Amino acid sequence: MSFVEYGDTIKDGDTAIVFLGHESMFPVKVQHGSVTQTKYGVIRHSTDLIGKKYGSKVTCSKGGWVFILHPTPELWTMNLPHRTQILYSTDISIITMMLELKPGSIVCESGTGSGSLSHALIRTVAPSGHLYTVEFHQQRAEKAREEFREHGVEHLVTVTNQDVCKNGFGVSNIADAVFLDIPSPWEAIGHAKSALKAEGGRICSFSPCIEQVQRTCLAMEEYGFTEINTLEILLRVYNVRTVSLPIPDLGKAAEDNSSPGFDSSNPSHQGSSCANLQQGTVQFKSGVPLREVVGHTGYLTFATKS
Amino acid sequence: AMEGGPGARIREGDCAVLKRDEVFKAVSVLRRRKIIFEKQWFYLDNAIGHIYGTTFEVTSGGNLQPKQEVEETTTETKEAGTDNRNIVDDGKSQKLTHDDIKALKDKGIKGQEIVQQLIENSTTFRDKTEFAQDKYIKKKKKKYEAVITIVKPSTRILSTMYYAREPGKINHLRYDTLAQMLTLGNIHAGTKMIVMETCAGLVLGAVMERMGGYGSIIQMYPGGGPVRAATSCFGFPKPFFDNLHEFPLSKVQSLLSGTFSTETLPADPEENALVEEESNGLSEEKQSSLQETEEEPATEAPMEINPTEEQDTMDINAEDVEFKENKEKENKENVREKQIKQWERRKKLKEAAALLREKNADGLIVASKFHPTPLLLSLLEFVAPSRPFVVYCQYKEPLLECYTKLRERGGVINLKLSETWLRNYQVLPDRSHPKLTMSGGGGYLLSGITVVLEKGKSDSSNSEALKVEEPSSKRCKLQDLPC
């Protein structure tokens, strides 16, 4: 297994995802002799994991069971240890497409942060591309290098510990795309331009605040970028639920037994909803929005180097 | 494989995309072919050899000329007003008439100069606020300084173009929704993907772009053959198509039940092309398929021609026996050609069937006009465990049903029904605000991950369903029941 190549069976050294149930999962480093505690009991790596097919059900010591999943950048994003605020797959998706990334692309990124986007970028540019990622925090840079190694992708990425605003990305005139998620992206636009290939390179800057976006757009214009475009993308998730609504008792007309309109006691009532004759309710299936939704992550500004 | 060095150059035969502001149009780059785009007529001949991304102006002869970089004179402090309280819009503030402007155009005066003339002949220009002046100049530039950029096709460009121009052809799949599919589906190089789409081949092209020619794709298709009009627009190198297979939906049941045979091939693509067009999209979108004349680039592979039928109606009264003999020879050749073609089709079908039978695909992408449930329930059988799948539907309700049926089937976890909401912004100093909302209309996605399916254990799949459902917590209404 690696984050860029599917494997069929769990091997020693793999990073696997333990799925416990609805939105409850965590990553685990598979190792001979290791043991993982879950609320369903203990998982012994040597007997329960190694050699098993990914996607298998594993019964834990207390009798409950879990699924073991092959890692993907998306699952990693949902489960990685946060060292910083991260980008989620919704933003990552549009970034990937708008930067026109594909196998063989050369991408520059700063800051590396917790490596959420990094893993997704590496996956997309593999096997012939490369990610140059710059992180000014020494421990974070080191942690990122370690994770890329563990995940079998170190040959596809170079982590540089420096300040992108002062020293750039460490490459010139070769990148197909540059991504910025830093406090002052306008200070890095010049470096981004020099890292990008001569013509047609794409740039993206992510900023939570509109003031940052304004300064970045100005800088992009000053440096001759074209097609400058700012957008935001939000995810709306729906829970699939069967909903029952009670029918109000509107009484009956004086002598007339059949009341017009909606009558739940009428057995020939047709329609997409199924009447519950006993309880005077109507059932239907609905996609119900979540109670709490993400309202804002950041603004994404894209442009082209001409 | 990637093209390194300086940008790719426009070549004859390419599928290129014309861009003007936010408007795109895909065209075939052919010499002496008149192109209409944004109310302008021109030939692409002069563009050949230039780098993609070059911006051109249309000359009076209908030829393209690279636009010269012009220095904007922004340093002068212009005279401007503070607000519009005294500006009366009586339609008389522009002193140049239609005829005057036409005369300027006919003289060959450049758009830039025309805009300058309009400004000088506007009585209200200097009373406008700076912002209003900016807006005015932008508007006039847009009208008179017609520049066209020729861009290289990509998923980004084509999905935006299709959504704007022919959404009916792609089941109203908005480009950000497509972007989600590619990521949720973990589309990347080296995988074996199953794709089922009726989006003119746009989704297939997007998947192929993200696979970079590595790995393999099996495209499932309804009717006689897959539609790949949009796919050819991407300009993929030929090797990309070596590992692209196709398989008819009409054979899926037989494959799953083990009764598959290549004896009855699906009907000829040519015969079924008409059926495809008619049933493509919903009734209100039928118009879009009729508009097809100029929109589609002429790079679609020619349909299989059936010469033997034509031979029957030929006049065989020709006195020339040799001529007759030649015709007979030609007949035999045509029949032989047809046989070879059929044999090849059978061979390809067997290959695709063999790939599917392995039941180890790395993912499934569905984006079609069909109800998603029967597609998912059958096609998931070909996918390995612990692999993602994503299904797009223009409407939410069929996905509600699909979700429910998948729960009953078991073997899937992390089911998620979602849509994305996209908003564009205008960012200008002191004038930043959202441009337009596109909430709604982008379609819906149902995604999940496969797991090992334990058949025949009804109680375990039940508990599995309970396990993966959100617990009915105290926060839920009394009426809400998990499905």
Side-chain angles (χ1 to χ4, degrees):
Chain A
M1 94 90 230
S2 81
F3 275 54
V4 297
E5 205 179 318
Y6 280 119
D8 281 330
T9 52
I10 305 168
K11 294 185 173 59
D12 183 34
D14 280 2
T15 299
I17 307 289
V18 178
F19 180 87
L20 299 135
H22 182 78
E23 290 198 357
S24 171
M25 45 180 148
F26 61 88
V28 83
K29 185 103 178 29
V30 180
Q31 244 164 1
H32 264 300
S34 278
V35 144
T36 299
Q37 296 284 351
T38 77
K39 64 180 182 186
Y40 298 124
V42 155
I43 300 174
R44 296 181 197 286
H45 293 209
S46 305
T47 51
D48 298 327
L49 295 183
I50 297 177
K52 284 260 164 64
K53 210 168 174 182
Y54 274 109
S56 297
K57 190 187 270 191
V58 166
T59 309
C60 309
S61 58
K62 281 194 213 155
W65 41 266
V66 298
F67 284 106
I68 310 296
L69 303 175
H70 195 290
T72 64
E74 287 60 57
L75 286 174
W76 183 248
T77 289
M78 297 309 295
N79 295 295
L80 62 90
H82 287 210
R83 283 89 73 180
T84 59
Q85 173 60 287
I86 66 166
L87 280 183
Y88 289 89
S89 297
T90 311
D91 285 315
I92 292 175
S93 303
I94 192 90
I95 291 166
T96 307
M97 188 179 84
M98 298 293 270
L99 289 182
E100 303 186 340
L101 300 178
K102 54 192 182 233
S105 295
I106 309 288
V107 202
C108 293
E109 169 199 29
S110 189
T112 316
S114 308
S116 171
L117 176 65
S118 314
H119 279 85
L121 296 176
I122 290 168
R123 174 267 315 272
T124 301
V125 307
S128 40
H130 202 87
L131 169 67
Y132 294 93
T133 185
V134 176
E135 171 58 49
F136 66 7
H137 191 280
Q138 211 233 331
Q139 278 82 11
R140 288 204 291 264
E142 200 39 61
K143 182 77 182 146
R145 282 194 196 99
E146 193 187 301
E147 278 177 354
F148 296 140
R149 243 187 330 263
E150 280 181 10
H151 299 160
V153 298
E154 71 273 27
H155 57 294
L156 293 162
V157 55
T158 302
V159 183
T160 307
N161 178 212
Q162 68 193 26
D163 182 349
V164 69
C165 297
K166 295 203 175 68
N167 305 112
F169 293 92
V171 295
S172 321
N173 290 103
I174 60 161
D176 297 293
V178 167
F179 177 80
L180 293 168
D181 179 4
I182 56 175
S184 311
W186 55 90
E187 291 177 10
I189 300 296
H191 290 295
K193 187 173 184 188
S194 65
L196 283 169
K197 62 188 180 185
E199 167 65 48
R202 295 279 290 164
I203 185 172
C204 174
S205 175
F206 174 87
S207 294
C209 303
I210 195 69
E211 295 85 355
Q212 295 169 300
V213 175
Q214 287 174 309
R215 292 175 82 165
T216 307
C217 285
L218 267 178
M220 284 180 177
E221 227 176 309
E222 277 164 25
Y223 277 94
F225 282 91
T226 57
E227 254 191 297
I228 303 171
N229 169 242
T230 304
L231 55 88
E232 71 170 332
I233 185 166
L234 292 177
L235 185 69
R236 289 274 185 269
V237 179
Y238 298 98
N239 280 331
V240 183
R241 292 278 178 271
T242 302
V243 178
S244 276
L245 296 180
I247 298 160
D249 180 5
L250 300 173
K252 283 197 175 67
E255 287 149 39
D256 194 354
N257 255 341
S258 61
S259 32
F262 208 88
D263 185 354
S264 73
S265 63
N266 184 349
S268 67
H269 172 73
Q270 304 243 320
S272 54
S273 45
C274 31
N276 185 324
L277 305 177
Q278 250 78 40
Q279 292 156 342
T281 60
V282 169
Q283 267 196 350
F284 59 93
K285 206 147 278 182
S286 176
V288 174
L290 300 186
R291 234 154 278 276
E292 278 165 27
V293 290
V294 173
H296 178 69
T297 52
Y299 303 99
L300 289 164
T301 304
F302 298 92
T304 309
K305 175 176 172 178
S306 261
Chain B
M2 266 284 296
E3 285 193 37
R9 292 193 179 267
I10 304 166
R11 283 180 317 216
E12 192 171 3
D14 277 358
C15 175
V17 176
L18 307 175
K19 175 185 184 304
R20 187 178 161 206
D21 293 320
E22 306 305 319
V23 182
F24 298 93
K25 180 176 177 168
V27 292
S28 267
V29 179
L30 299 167
R31 291 187 192 273
R32 293 180 303 279
R33 170 77 73 91
K34 208 176 210 177
I35 305 280
I36 315 166
F37 176 58
E38 291 285 274
K39 295 190 187 134
Q40 292 198 289
W41 301 70
F42 50 90
Y43 298 94
L44 291 172
D45 299 46
N46 289 4
I48 296 174
H50 283 276
I51 297 175
Y52 274 103
T54 307
T55 303
F56 298 88
E57 277 176 320
V58 183
T59 64
S60 43
N63 289 310
L64 293 177
Q65 199 181 67
K67 185 173 194 292
Q68 254 66 9
E69 280 292 324
V70 178
E71 275 301 314
E72 295 284 341
T73 49
T74 47
T75 46
E76 308 158 14
T77 42
K78 300 183 202 100
E79 193 187 345
T82 45
D83 55 47
N84 65 9
R85 70 182 77 197
N86 292 321
I87 299 181
V88 177
D89 186 6
D90 56 8
K92 297 189 192 137
S93 41
Q94 177 55 245
K95 292 304 162 201
L96 294 180
T97 63
H98 279 305
D99 291 334
D100 290 334
I101 296 170
K102 192 173 183 309
L104 289 176
K105 273 206 237 178
D106 290 340
K107 261 199 256 175
I109 303 281
K110 275 202 165 169
Q112 224 176 312
E113 184 53 39
I114 295 180
V115 175
Q116 198 53 40
Q117 290 287 319
L118 286 166
I119 292 171
E120 284 168 18
N121 284 284
S122 163
T123 54
T124 50
F125 187 82
R126 63 198 182 112
D127 296 326
K128 290 180 196 274
T129 65
E130 261 187 70
F131 292 167
Q133 287 178 349
D134 263 0
K135 204 168 171 177
Y136 180 88
I137 294 171
K138 265 203 182 103
K139 190 173 164 190
K140 296 305 172 192
K141 273 192 173 168
K142 193 172 164 158
K143 189 167 180 187
Y144 295 103
E145 273 186 42
V147 289
I148 297 164
T149 312
I150 301 186
V151 296
K152 199 165 194 306
S154 65
T155 302
R156 168 179 82 98
I157 302 275
L158 293 173
S159 61
T160 315
M161 181 188 85
Y162 263 94
Y163 188 72
R165 290 185 91 91
E166 297 188 280
K169 284 235 165 94
I170 55 170
N171 301 101
H172 292 260
L173 169 67
R174 200 174 58 213
Y175 48 93
D176 56 299
T177 311
L178 176 58
Q180 300 303 312
M181 292 176 79
L182 298 169
T183 297
L184 288 173
N186 192 18
I187 312 295
H188 64 281
T191 52
K192 177 175 168 182
M193 295 300 301
I194 299 176
V195 176
M196 196 281 137
E197 59 113 299
T198 58
C199 297
L202 175 67
V203 174
L204 175 67
V207 171
M208 284 174 76
E209 187 183 81
R210 290 281 272 266
M211 288 178 64
Y214 301 92
S216 62
I217 302 174
I218 304 148
Q219 185 185 9
M220 314 297 294
Y221 62 88
V227 177
R228 291 180 182 162
T231 320
S232 49
C233 223
F234 282 81
F236 296 127
K238 235 176 148 286
F240 272 46
F241 293 89
D242 291 346
N243 286 313
L244 171 60
H245 308 264
E246 49 280 335
F247 191 85
L249 283 179
S250 58
K251 292 281 190 185
V252 166
Q253 277 298 89
S254 67
L255 193 63
L256 287 173
S257 64
T259 58
F260 172 75
S261 90
T262 55
E263 288 316 307
T264 47
L265 285 178
D268 219 280
E270 192 187 25
E271 290 160 40
N272 280 71
L274 287 169
V275 179
E276 270 282 306
E277 273 315 295
E278 281 157 27
S279 56
N280 188 18
L282 308 155
S283 47
E284 74 251 42
E285 312 303 340
K286 263 191 188 146
Q287 281 73 264
S288 62
S289 57
L290 297 170
Q291 282 169 11
E292 205 183 350
T293 43
E294 265 221 280
E295 321 296 37
E296 296 295 341
T299 48
E300 196 171 355
M303 293 300 186
E304 206 176 313
I305 304 163
N306 205 337
T308 47
E309 259 122 69
E310 285 167 22
Q311 303 300 338
D312 294 340
T313 57
M314 262 201 68
D315 188 355
I316 25 181
N317 270 345
E319 312 84 25
D320 198 345
V321 173
E322 216 182 280
F323 180 75
K324 204 168 157 191
E325 278 178 358
N326 281 342
K327 273 293 155 222
E328 276 175 16
K329 234 192 262 177
E330 225 181 278
N331 267 349
K332 284 210 182 103
E333 273 170 29
N334 287 330
V335 169
R336 176 135 178 81
E337 231 180 80
K338 204 177 171 205
Q339 279 178 342
I340 293 174
K341 276 216 171 91
Q342 273 225 341
W343 180 84
E344 272 174 10
R345 282 184 72 206
R346 279 220 171 84
K347 182 162 170 279
K348 283 210 159 116
L349 194 59
K350 281 203 180 104
E351 280 169 13
L355 286 172
L356 286 168
R357 257 197 219 97
E358 289 177 329
K359 298 199 176 181
N360 64 358
D362 293 313
L364 171 65
I365 302 290
V366 175
S368 77
K369 61 189 180 190
F370 297 109
H371 198 289
T373 307
L375 286 172
L376 260 270
L377 291 178
S378 56
L379 298 178
L380 275 178
E381 295 293 309
F382 301 117
V383 181
S386 192
R387 296 294 183 268
F389 61 90
V390 190
V391 52
Y392 166 81
C393 187
Q394 190 180 346
Y395 306 97
K396 203 204 285 186
E397 289 77 4
L399 292 178
L400 295 176
E401 203 224 85
C402 200
Y403 180 104
T404 308
K405 287 289 187 296
L406 284 177
R407 277 270 162 272
E408 286 169 21
R409 172 194 185 268
V412 295
I413 54 159
N414 221 27
L415 281 180
K416 193 166 79 172
L417 174 62
S418 66
E419 70 168 328
T420 41
W421 185 82
L422 187 74
R423 194 176 217 183
N424 279 286
Y425 282 79
Q426 165 184 292
V427 177
L428 291 169
D430 299 318
R431 286 160 287 170
S432 300
H433 58 73
K435 249 197 254 182
L436 28 95
T437 53
M438 289 195 277
S439 48
Y444 301 84
L445 291 179
L446 179 64
S447 62
I449 303 175
T450 56
V451 289
V452 170
L453 179 59
E454 289 171 357
K455 293 210 156 97
K457 286 188 181 176
S458 55
D459 54 341
S460 80
S461 67
N462 247 341
S463 55
E464 190 183 293
L466 286 173
K467 179 197 271 275
V468 302
E469 279 307 315
E470 188 186 301
S472 278
S473 72
K474 50 194 179 301
R475 295 179 302 164
C476 295
K477 288 188 286 202
L478 287 171
Q479 302 97 318
D480 286 3
L481 302 169
C483 296

